[in-house]
Amino acid sequence: MAAEIQPKPLTRKPILLQRVEGSQEVVNMAVIVPKEEGVISVSEDRTVRVWLKRDSGQYWPSIYHVMPSPCSCMSFNPETRRLSIGLDNGTISEFLLSEDYNKMTPVKNYQAHQSRVTMILFVLELEWVLSTGQDKQFAWHCSESGQRLGGYRTSAVASGLQFDVETRHVFIGDHSGQVTILKLEQENCTLVTTFRGHTGGVTALCWDPVQRVLFSGSSDHSVIMWDIGGRKGTAIELQGHNDRVQALSYAQHTRQLISCGGDGGIVVWNMDVERQETPEWLDSDSCQKCDQPFFWNFKQMWDSKKIGLRQHHCRKCGRAVCGKCSSKRSSIPLMGFEFEVRVCDSCHEAITDEERAPTATFHDSKHNIVHVHFDATRGWLLTSGTDKVIKAPER
């Protein structure tokens, strides 16, 4: 009996295995070819490339195909070797890759959008191609007939797209910061709900079908974990980036989330811990610790003959406090605060060293990441960036 490969947690510092260079413009997306020493990439320079590792140890293109328009995104299905490519002109072009990955054969084109395609998903179980575009349209097509099955207009340009096969729910994140959930049927869709938790636009989505949680990354530097399956409305914030979160990936077997930022930061979050929701910020006209008035509370300022103070909030308890009563800082990893944040003095004293133990590791990719792909079986983390480079670090 063959031994089963057990994916290992991402604990070590990434070691750069290879830099794949050659694209003339931004590499918008790159994926690892399963069971092969290979990478598929699409770029703004209109090229689709399949890079295979040669005996010299270097990656060279086995396929170099020029598209009629810049390549904005792609979806690759390893089982069928079907490659769907989204273009800047709104077209989705479908190809079939040969077994040796040395040839790509055109299959069909979908006139999916009026402008740039932003995301594509191919759903093998249903033979559907899902897509979003800068025309603020979500659409799905039948991959067998090429016919459009339906569409839905989003509130803003969508930049995140995920799908749950079991429930046929599609998750769409857009630039307004909203996440929309639709229920898809063969030729129609129903709006299930919308929710918003970010102060900036949603930049990436990631779905865990086992735990039934949705992760959303945002230009507000944060990641939010939404408990979709638990039906409790729980939303856990993860604060570990100093720049916009631009890409997400999830390792299901080890329950680790990988988030990548515009500053090149890669954060690996341990999601196998009991995390806590951040409290809502309380409203008050005076400090809820010392009762000093805030600067807009003119009546209390006049009655007490005291100068009003600036309002702050404790990140642990949510109370409205003045600067004097919140002079301390602390990390609160179980609440998602890996960096030190403002807490009131009493909460600072109550936080133990164990509660300050990190639940994430931080790494520098040294390039502006626009997409990430993780191969759990081999522990490979593939990043592509605005510097026209693909990096293949080993975890």
Side-chain angles (χ1 to χ4, degrees):
M1 178 187 254
E4 182 181 356
I5 299 175
Q6 293 292 338
K8 295 181 179 180
L10 314 182
T11 53
R12 297 182 291 111
K13 180 180 179 180
I15 301 169
L16 182 62
L17 291 179
Q18 194 73 245
R19 286 171 59 95
V20 182
E21 302 179 75
S23 299
Q24 301 303 309
E25 297 290 345
V26 174
V27 179
N28 284 316
M29 200 169 284
V31 297
I32 299 166
V33 179
K35 302 178 182 178
E36 296 282 345
E37 294 278 338
V39 171
I40 304 172
S41 67
V42 296
S43 170
E44 284 291 324
D45 64 10
R46 299 192 296 139
T47 63
V48 181
R49 309 187 196 209
V50 179
W51 312 78
L52 295 182
K53 193 173 184 179
R54 306 304 183 185
D55 293 339
S56 63
Q58 297 297 312
Y59 282 84
W60 292 95
S62 63
I63 294 175
Y64 180 99
H65 186 86
V66 180
M67 301 296 293
S69 181
C71 307
S72 53
C73 56
M74 70 171 168
S75 177
F76 178 62
N77 182 263
E79 296 178 46
T80 60
R81 299 188 307 282
R82 189 181 319 208
L83 179 64
S84 305
I85 302 164
L87 302 180
D88 189 64
N89 63 13
T91 303
I92 297 174
S93 295
E94 196 171 270
F95 297 86
L96 187 64
L97 300 184
S98 60
E99 289 188 28
D100 59 5
Y101 290 94
N102 282 307
K103 182 181 179 182
M104 54 189 288
T105 304
V107 178
K108 63 173 68 73
N109 288 327
Y110 308 86
Q111 302 304 317
H113 298 276
Q114 299 299 313
S115 56
R116 185 181 179 92
V117 182
T118 55
M119 293 295 293
I120 303 174
L121 284 178
F122 170 63
V123 184
L124 177 61
E125 295 86 347
L126 301 170
E127 294 288 344
W128 285 352
V129 176
L130 315 180
S131 62
T132 55
Q134 283 190 345
D135 57 1
K136 300 182 182 179
Q137 286 287 330
F138 161 73
W140 73 105
H141 291 74
C142 174
S143 62
E144 292 181 317
S145 66
Q147 294 297 311
R148 180 185 173 98
L149 298 175
Y152 181 86
R153 185 168 180 82
T154 56
S155 60
V157 174
S159 46
L161 180 64
Q162 292 288 286
F163 184 71
D164 181 60
V165 176
E166 182 182 342
T167 62
R168 296 192 181 185
H169 284 161
V170 64
F171 308 94
I172 305 167
D174 64 44
H175 286 177
S176 74
Q178 180 173 287
V179 177
T180 302
I181 303 180
L182 303 174
K183 169 80 170 182
L184 298 190
E185 302 297 344
Q186 187 62 28
E187 295 183 357
N188 61 74
C189 67
T190 306
L191 176 64
V192 177
T193 188
T194 61
F195 49 88
R196 187 189 301 267
H198 292 287
T199 57
V202 174
T203 52
L205 292 180
C206 191
W207 172 245
D208 176 9
V210 178
Q211 301 296 325
R212 308 200 66 74
V213 296
L214 180 73
F215 300 97
S216 61
S218 172
S219 58
D220 65 10
H221 307 183
S222 73
V223 178
I224 296 180
M225 181 184 80
W226 306 90
D227 179 16
I228 304 295
R231 301 184 181 278
K232 296 179 181 178
T234 305
I236 305 294
E237 290 186 44
L238 303 175
Q239 303 281 352
H241 286 278
N242 292 310
D243 204 335
R244 56 187 287 127
V245 178
Q246 299 197 140
L248 296 173
S249 186
Y250 187 67
Q252 289 185 11
H253 292 84
T254 56
R255 292 200 65 190
Q256 288 176 299
L257 177 71
I258 304 163
S259 59
C260 302
D263 58 357
I266 300 175
V267 184
V268 182
W269 304 88
N270 177 11
M271 302 309 299
D272 200 24
V273 295
E274 192 67 32
R275 294 187 176 272
Q276 304 167 17
E277 274 193 292
T278 52
E280 291 188 14
W281 286 3
L282 302 177
D283 293 326
S284 179
D285 291 329
S286 58
C287 176
Q288 294 181 306
K289 290 292 184 180
C290 68
D291 202 36
Q292 285 274 76
F294 293 133
F295 64 83
W296 62 83
N297 189 351
F298 299 112
K299 184 179 186 306
Q300 188 176 346
M301 288 165 56
W302 177 264
D303 292 343
S304 62
K305 302 297 187 290
K306 292 179 180 179
I307 298 175
L309 303 175
R310 182 183 174 189
Q311 184 191 62
H312 300 283
H313 283 91
C314 173
R315 299 308 192 268
K316 183 166 173 55
C317 67
R319 289 191 178 96
V321 290
C322 67
K324 184 178 179 181
C325 294
S326 59
S327 60
K328 305 291 177 61
R329 302 289 185 277
S330 176
S331 60
I332 321 173
L334 293 181
M335 281 188 168
F337 297 112
E338 292 289 335
F339 304 146
E340 290 192 343
V341 290
R342 181 184 296 274
V343 293
C344 66
D345 292 353
S346 56
C347 281
H348 186 272
E349 293 178 5
I351 300 173
T352 65
D353 290 340
E354 290 182 355
E355 290 176 313
R356 290 189 177 95
T359 62
T361 57
F362 298 83
H363 314 282
D364 185 6
S365 69
K366 294 182 171 59
H367 73 153
N368 184 339
I369 298 171
V370 296
H371 184 258
V372 62
H373 181 231
F374 180 64
D375 183 341
T377 57
R378 287 181 287 188
W380 285 7
L381 186 69
L382 190 73
T383 60
S384 54
T386 57
D387 55 2
K388 312 170 191 176
V389 175
I390 303 167
K391 291 188 177 182
E394 179 185 25
R395 290 292 310 178

